[in-house]
Amino acid sequence: MKMYVSSDTSPTAEKPPGTDDEPSKYDEAAPPYDEAPATINVIITGECQQGKSTLIQQLSRYANTEDLSIGIGDGNKACTMDVSTYDLTIKLRSFQLVDAATGKPIQKSDYSDLVALEQADARVVEVPNPSPPTIRFRFVDTPGLNDTHGEDFSIMSRILGRATDLGHVNALIYVRSVENSFGSSFKTFFRYIQRSMPSICNGLIVVHSCFKVDRVEEFLTDSNQRLEDIRRDAFEAATQLDLEHFFMDNSPDPSSPFAIAQSLNEIHRLLTHLSSQKPLPVRNFKLLKTDAMRHRDVLVLNALTALARRQDKEWTREKGTAEVLRVTAASAQREIGRLRSKIEAKQAHLRELKTKDEILLGKKSCIGHYSFVGDLLFQGNLNLGTKNLVYDSDYPISSVTKTCAPGSKWLSEELRGTSWRGEIYGNLFRDINGTATFYTTNELKNQKEIRLLESVVADMQDQLDAQEDALARTAASGGGAVGGRLKELGESINRIEALTEMVEQDAFDMTLWPAVRGFYTQQNLPTADEIRKFVKALDDKVGQLL
């Protein structure tokens, strides 16, 4: 579909409301990194037939890269059956409507008049900007949820598994048509990412597709209400979160210049927001297991239980042939090995928690529309002066990133522990449009759990010291060293116990997914050899014992 966008950026043309002459206004929209920004990784997800793939198509049109091969679903069956990746280098620019005859910006303020414009009346052109920022994006298109196969959790596993290959994720987008409510499938998905991706779920970005200008006009005429506000309220009711929303027509009518301008400018706002999101490492993500994965775990646990039983019987036989003192030493050595294993696991968890990795706490937006990028003027309102935003968190706020559209400017901000206040300004006849994204660190968010784990480790260390003292006294009294085979068996039993606890958990580290993907995704029941290879991927020494 041709977009009918002109490259005319003549600086002599007068600009319509909602644009700005000052290129410096783009500065605050640039990524707030000290170094050159890496690729912005964005995962796009949602239910079937909601506009995920058409969103990527529209992104490619905005980027002037229309040769991408993107499949679109048909009916209620997901067209995107696997995870697809699209790399786009995009120049961020906004657009305006100009009179087709004179080339002058169109100054009509009534929404209905703008909807009625045809190609003979208006053209869509770029807003002049001598140095627009150019950003590298990687968009990941994922299989649709709630499809006819009923494989939502398997699909979510593939989505999260793909994140491992990215290394970091900047944003997660959920696409949903404005015609559909936030039903059970969405709530299931949201609960899933709250558990598996806590570092990013509070920053979920919602893109409302099928936001057609004539539908908006009809809604305003019939109910005199803003469809955007109704959709935001419905989302907040479903999640109890106030997140970032974008409203766009992913496939605008090519005969409607206003629809094209609306779509492109909302893409510009989305990309600007995405470019401000910090990269969050995937090592903090957890992959929740599906029912099918847990059924396979049962087979693994049965094999580990049988192995532990054999090792324990052999340990008992070895112990029976040893002298009493050597048996005491062997028991102490086995308990020492168990305590060391548990302490090591707790300390590893502490190291995961005590990092400076950033976690997205949430966002605060201030959006006041004027003229052709909105319809507040339709209701007789203007944006004047400043607006204040306040954000309170349960955790200390470590950093804040802000964006604002041309015509808006952040005047001031104040950050005190868990509270933030900011003030944003909008010029006369300009949008007030800005967002603030709030982050904490892994260490700050998990302070209570860190203190509890440190206390547990200290208690275990006391027990370990006591066992080592007892072993030393046994050796001094003539007990001698523990037999090599007895010691080896004790260490093996401890490793099997630790691995069993890992397999029993309902989630595991995302970084393990590449090693275990084949075992969990195959259709047939695993053979003994396949179970052995799976165990070796988790613990090579235990795998060799099977």
Side-chain angles (χ1 to χ4, degrees):
M1 179 185 69
K2 188 176 180 181
M3 296 301 296
Y4 300 99
V5 177
S6 170
S7 60
D8 178 14
T9 57
S10 171
T12 60
E14 225 180 295
K15 294 184 186 177
T19 63
D20 199 290
D21 288 324
E22 302 175 40
S24 61
K25 294 295 184 185
Y26 285 88
D27 292 347
E28 289 194 69
Y33 311 137
D34 295 333
E35 301 176 356
T39 299
I40 305 295
N41 290 332
V42 182
I43 296 177
I44 300 177
T45 188
E47 298 176 27
C48 290
Q49 298 299 298
Q50 298 297 302
K52 299 186 305 301
S53 296
T54 54
L55 171 61
I56 294 180
Q57 278 192 333
Q58 188 68 345
L59 288 165
S60 70
R61 294 188 186 107
Y62 181 95
N64 293 324
T65 308
E66 297 195 44
D67 58 345
L68 295 180
S69 177
I70 303 171
I72 307 298
D74 181 21
N76 66 345
K77 187 178 186 298
C79 179
T80 306
M81 296 307 295
D82 204 354
V83 176
S84 303
T85 302
Y86 303 95
D87 292 314
L88 297 173
T89 299
I90 303 179
K91 184 180 297 183
L92 302 188
R93 62 217 194 279
S94 56
F95 296 83
Q96 60 183 333
L97 291 176
V98 300
D99 188 277
T102 66
K104 295 289 186 180
I106 293 176
Q107 299 292 336
K108 293 181 180 180
S109 58
D110 188 276
Y111 195 93
S112 296
D113 291 342
L114 294 168
V115 173
L117 292 173
E118 299 179 351
Q119 291 184 41
D121 306 316
R123 291 184 297 119
V124 181
V125 301
E126 291 184 26
V127 173
N129 181 14
S131 56
T134 299
I135 311 292
R136 296 189 304 276
F137 293 91
R138 174 168 294 161
F139 296 100
V140 180
D141 190 14
T142 60
L145 304 177
N146 198 28
D147 72 356
T148 54
H149 299 289
E151 298 178 347
D152 281 0
F153 274 101
S154 296
I155 289 172
M156 286 188 238
S157 297
R158 295 206 297 274
I159 292 170
L160 295 175
R162 182 64 180 88
T164 303
D165 302 329
L166 298 177
H168 71 270
V169 174
N170 297 75
L172 178 66
I173 292 177
Y174 187 87
V175 181
R176 191 166 188 80
S177 169
V178 295
E179 305 296 336
N180 296 328
S181 63
F182 294 100
S184 60
S185 180
F186 168 78
K187 292 177 181 178
T188 298
F189 165 80
F190 193 74
R191 286 194 296 268
Y192 187 96
I193 65 167
Q194 279 183 312
R195 293 178 60 197
S196 62
M197 305 172 72
S199 63
I200 199 171
C201 72
N202 286 338
L204 180 72
I205 296 169
V206 185
V207 170
H208 302 265
S209 62
C210 304
F211 197 75
K212 297 187 176 296
V213 294
D214 52 355
R215 179 75 176 89
V216 174
E217 178 192 21
E218 177 187 347
F219 198 86
L220 285 171
T221 304
D222 291 345
S223 61
N224 198 31
Q225 287 184 291
R226 289 178 58 82
L227 186 55
E228 298 101 313
D229 294 338
I230 293 174
R231 293 295 290 177
R232 287 192 184 95
D233 292 344
F235 177 85
E236 188 170 354
T239 64
Q240 285 72 57
L241 291 173
D242 180 15
L243 301 183
E244 192 69 11
H245 296 257
F246 294 85
F247 300 87
M248 66 179 66
D249 183 357
N250 295 350
S251 184
D253 183 352
S255 66
S256 171
F258 180 55
I260 294 171
Q262 285 283 72
S263 181
L264 292 175
N265 281 327
E266 194 70 352
I267 289 286
H268 173 258
R269 194 170 78 86
L270 173 63
L271 293 174
T272 299
H273 180 73
L274 292 175
S275 69
S276 74
Q277 304 303 287
K278 293 186 176 183
L280 302 176
V282 300
R283 60 175 171 266
N284 293 323
F285 296 172
K286 296 294 182 183
L287 184 58
L288 302 186
K289 296 177 181 177
T290 65
D291 288 341
M293 294 166 72
R294 283 190 286 269
H295 289 156
R296 293 184 179 277
D297 283 345
V298 171
L299 302 176
V300 176
L301 291 171
N302 289 341
L304 290 175
T305 300
L307 175 62
R309 190 179 298 117
R310 293 196 301 271
Q311 295 285 297
D312 196 63
K313 285 182 178 179
E314 187 174 352
W315 190 87
T316 302
R317 286 197 302 270
E318 288 287 332
K319 184 180 68 172
T321 62
E323 300 89 348
V324 174
L325 288 178
R326 288 170 63 83
V327 169
T328 302
S331 298
Q333 188 70 57
R334 179 174 173 179
E335 181 64 14
I336 287 170
R338 188 186 70 84
L339 286 170
R340 283 178 177 168
S341 178
K342 286 187 173 295
I343 289 173
E344 183 179 344
K346 298 293 184 185
Q347 288 177 333
H349 191 194
L350 274 172
R351 287 193 295 271
E352 291 178 0
L353 297 178
K354 296 174 72 172
T355 67
K356 304 300 181 183
D357 292 346
E358 290 185 290
I359 295 173
L360 202 157
L361 289 172
K363 305 175 190 290
K364 203 71 177 179
S365 301
C366 181
I367 301 175
H369 289 305
Y370 172 81
S371 192
F372 88 89
V373 292
D375 51 67
L376 281 184
L377 193 61
F378 182 81
Q379 302 179 37
N381 297 317
L382 291 175
N383 295 320
L384 300 175
T386 63
K387 291 188 177 181
N388 295 312
L389 280 76
V390 177
Y391 183 81
D392 293 310
S393 170
D394 294 331
Y395 308 101
I397 301 170
S398 61
S399 63
V400 184
T401 63
K402 304 185 300 297
T403 66
C404 62
S408 300
K409 182 178 181 180
W410 288 98
L411 297 179
S412 63
E413 65 174 323
E414 180 183 16
L415 175 59
R416 291 186 177 180
T418 60
S419 297
W420 176 90
R421 296 177 184 274
E423 186 178 32
I424 189 170
Y425 167 78
N427 294 331
L428 182 64
F429 306 123
R430 296 291 186 268
D431 290 342
I432 293 181
N433 193 331
T435 64
T437 307
F438 306 93
Y439 298 86
T440 188
T441 65
N442 211 29
E443 186 173 20
L444 289 174
K445 183 176 181 181
N446 295 290
Q447 288 180 19
K448 292 182 180 179
E449 186 176 357
I450 288 172
R451 286 196 293 269
L452 177 61
L453 277 174
E454 287 177 337
S455 176
V456 170
V457 169
D459 289 343
M460 286 184 173
Q461 187 63 51
D462 289 341
Q463 296 175 42
L464 177 60
D465 293 341
Q467 289 290 341
E468 288 178 335
D469 288 344
L471 181 61
R473 288 194 298 271
T474 299
S477 63
V482 180
R485 180 55 180 164
L486 204 56
K487 181 179 179 181
E488 180 183 337
L489 287 167
E491 291 176 349
S492 295
I493 292 170
N494 290 331
R495 295 184 75 94
I496 296 168
E497 179 184 327
L499 183 57
T500 299
E501 290 180 1
M502 176 192 292
V503 175
E504 287 175 338
Q505 295 175 357
D506 64 355
F508 59 89
D509 191 334
M510 285 273 297
T511 56
L512 291 175
W513 179 246
V516 301
R517 187 198 314 255
F519 180 80
Y520 279 132
T521 57
Q522 66 176 333
Q523 297 299 318
N524 300 322
L525 285 176
T527 63
D529 186 57
E530 288 169 336
I531 292 175
R532 184 182 304 107
K533 289 179 180 178
F534 172 80
V535 171
K536 283 173 67 68
L538 301 180
D539 189 316
D540 184 66
K541 290 186 177 179
V542 175
Q544 292 177 16
L545 295 173
L546 282 175

